[in-house]
Amino acid sequence: MLIAAATPLSFFQAIVIGLIQGVTELFPISSLGHSVLVPYLFGWHTLVSSQSNGNKFYLAFVVGLHCASAVALLVFYRKDWSRLIAAFFHTLAKRKIETSEERLIWLIIVATIPAGVIGLLLEKHLATLFSKPLAAAIFLTCNGLILLGGERVRQRSEVKALAAREGLTASGSRRLDTMAWKEAGIIGFGQSLALIAGISRSGVTMVAGLVRGLDHEDAVKFAFLLATPIILAAGLVKVPDLLGSAGNGIRGQVLAGSAVAAVASYFSVRFLTRYFRTRTLTPFAIYCLVVGAFFIVLSLINP
């Protein structure tokens, strides 16, 4: 059933998009891209036009789903965040960084700053400009190429030499806490590409970690830890929209979709942290290339 005139978003649509959001936010295949392409595929034209025209109700709904994913990440990494927050206050008290956890929390802070600033300045403009089916499909294809490129670059001798120079883990990769402040800042800028529908936040961050010598397990952990404050901050900024006129008629749908997204995100991060102990980004790259090409053709045939 398409959208009824009385409401811009049905509960069925909210649950479907919430489920897809919960998976694609953490899988390196772009949740924002899927929030554009899935309504287009199902013929939910009001949602498609709302996304591309910058309508606040759909943007507020999507941000609500993002917050649900962030809560799932907080629950999954609750022990890590407890130690990291304690480490942060220890550094303030001592005015120096001594442990690996103290360094890691400051790496996260450094990487969060550029992504947060760029998001505040450009999020609305980029969402309106690129949140169209053809653009999202093109950038989803580009995301696949980024993932493939990251896997290829990490095999180069200079990346292996960098890992050896900075200190190796048991797997022969670089330790996460050896990253430089400049590297964290660059990863933060790279994460900003996720403001474009079709580019994955976790995918870009993982690739940045891999090409700097991290293994897949540490790269995905850093990506998920880094995503949590960014997503939560974006949600807090948009809370007034949900409480205001943009939330009229969809607050129940936001709650339903968010509940589904939170559960899906929790099981997604649980799966991915195990998956990347032994496997690579290549299957996700192939998915992005195939699905991106499909939607490029579909959007050209049926604009």
Side-chain angles (χ1 to χ4, degrees):
M1 182 181 71
L2 297 182
I3 305 169
T7 178
L9 179 71
S10 72
F11 276 92
F12 175 72
Q13 291 169 331
I15 290 170
V16 169
I17 297 173
L19 176 62
I20 294 171
Q21 153 67 28
V23 174
T24 58
E25 176 64 34
L26 303 180
F27 278 63
I29 56 176
S30 179
S31 64
L32 189 56
H34 283 75
S35 74
V36 176
L37 296 175
V38 170
Y40 169 71
L41 180 65
F42 290 165
W44 297 339
H45 303 299
T46 300
L47 299 186
V48 175
S49 61
S50 296
Q51 179 84 327
S52 59
N53 293 331
N55 190 299
K56 285 189 174 182
F57 93 84
Y58 191 56
L59 181 59
F61 169 70
V62 171
V63 170
L65 302 186
H66 286 175
C67 289
S69 294
V71 170
L73 285 172
L74 279 174
V75 172
F76 186 84
Y77 285 111
R78 59 191 180 278
K79 294 181 180 178
D80 293 89
W81 278 111
S82 177
R83 292 192 294 266
L84 289 171
I85 292 171
F88 169 74
F89 286 107
H90 287 162
T91 62
L92 294 183
K94 297 181 300 182
R95 297 187 179 181
K96 58 182 178 180
I97 298 173
E98 296 178 327
T99 69
S100 60
E101 287 176 340
E102 290 172 355
R103 185 171 179 81
L104 178 56
I105 185 59
W106 279 102
L107 286 170
I108 292 172
I109 291 170
V110 169
T112 299
I113 292 171
V117 171
I118 293 172
L120 287 174
L121 295 176
L122 299 178
E123 179 188 10
K124 183 176 181 180
H125 178 70
L126 292 177
T128 303
L129 183 62
F130 293 116
S131 294
K132 298 176 175 62
L134 179 57
I138 291 172
F139 282 109
L140 184 62
T141 305
C142 293
N143 188 71
L145 295 175
I146 291 171
L147 300 184
L148 281 180
E151 288 293 345
R152 174 164 293 191
V153 171
R154 68 176 288 268
Q155 298 295 334
R156 292 182 177 177
S157 58
E158 54 265 36
V159 175
K160 295 179 180 179
L162 171 65
R165 186 169 64 250
E166 296 294 342
L168 295 178
T169 65
S171 65
S173 301
R174 184 182 181 183
R175 295 200 319 271
L176 180 56
D177 63 326
T178 65
M179 290 181 62
W181 307 119
K182 180 179 179 180
E183 291 173 310
I186 292 172
I187 290 175
F189 278 109
Q191 191 181 203
S192 303
L193 292 173
L195 295 171
I196 300 174
I199 302 297
S200 166
R201 183 193 316 276
S202 61
V204 169
T205 310
M206 279 194 68
V207 166
L210 291 175
V211 301
R212 300 309 298 168
L214 299 180
D215 62 16
H216 289 85
E217 187 174 5
D218 274 347
V220 75
K221 181 177 181 179
F222 188 63
F224 289 160
L225 289 174
L226 183 55
T228 306
I230 287 289
I231 298 172
L232 281 177
L236 291 175
V237 169
K238 295 298 180 182
V239 164
D241 288 342
L242 277 175
L243 297 178
S245 59
N248 291 342
I250 65 163
R251 294 189 183 94
Q253 292 90 320
V254 171
L255 291 175
S258 297
V260 173
V263 173
S265 293
Y266 181 84
F267 284 103
S268 294
V269 66
R270 182 177 174 182
F271 168 79
L272 289 171
T273 52
R274 296 176 181 178
Y275 173 90
F276 282 117
R277 291 172 186 170
T278 56
R279 298 176 185 173
T280 71
L281 288 165
T282 302
F284 304 106
I286 294 172
Y287 169 87
C288 291
L289 292 173
V290 172
V291 174
F294 168 78
F295 276 103
I296 288 173
V297 173
L298 185 63
S299 60
L300 290 175
I301 294 174
N302 184 28

